[in-house]
Amino acid sequence: MTKTLVKPRTKVTTKTQRPPLYKVILLNDDYTPREFVVQVLKAVFRMNADQAYRVMMTAHIKGACVIAVYTRDVAETKAKEATELGKQKGYPLFFTTEPEE
Ligand code: TYC
């Protein structure tokens, strides 16, 4: 009996897909106290006092500042949470998200 050896023609390759990332952006306004912005950045984005102060001042001077990059879900949840903290105090503090290029 002859045995026929059939070699598979399809090659299996694996591709690791990274999820698209989203930036969380802090927007400046004229009413939210600086110290409150710093508090929110520390609480929601786990920044230390120095990082939070620098980010707040960048937004204050330039109008906006990218805070961090996360997966879409995390970015949107954190932006919402941080915006809500300002809203609770009657401040117009606003965080938005944007896909990273
Ligand atoms: N501009 C605000 C003030 O002068 C402080 C502030 C900074 C508010 C950054 C928002 O994203 C912001 N009180």
Side-chain angles (χ1 to χ4, degrees):
M1 200 174 87
T2 36
K3 274 187 182 167
T4 325
L5 197 74
V6 181
K7 275 190 182 171
R9 289 209 193 131
T10 47
K11 270 194 185 157
V12 179
T13 55
T14 49
K15 255 191 185 168
T16 314
Q17 294 268 18
R18 286 182 217 283
L21 295 175
Y22 281 69
K23 300 182 274 192
V24 178
I25 301 160
L26 167 66
L27 301 180
N28 187 35
D29 67 72
D30 292 337
Y31 305 100
T32 310
R34 292 181 188 193
E35 186 45 46
F36 183 77
V37 180
V38 170
Q39 267 183 42
V40 171
L41 291 172
K42 281 160 64 179
V44 179
F45 300 95
R46 310 199 172 237
M47 291 183 179
N48 64 35
D50 194 54
Q51 293 170 319
Y53 183 78
R54 284 163 194 264
V55 165
M56 180 279 295
M57 281 310 289
T58 304
H60 178 71
I61 292 163
K62 295 191 168 178
C65 182
V66 174
I67 297 172
V69 166
Y70 304 99
T71 55
R72 185 176 183 175
D73 251 27
V74 176
E76 285 175 353
T77 304
K78 282 186 183 281
K80 223 189 224 171
E81 230 177 271
T83 300
E84 188 56 36
L85 287 175
K87 209 171 175 185
Q88 282 169 15
K89 294 262 183 182
Y91 299 136
L93 183 64
F94 196 70
F95 293 81
T96 188
T97 61
E98 191 178 281
E100 202 189 36
E101 315 80 52

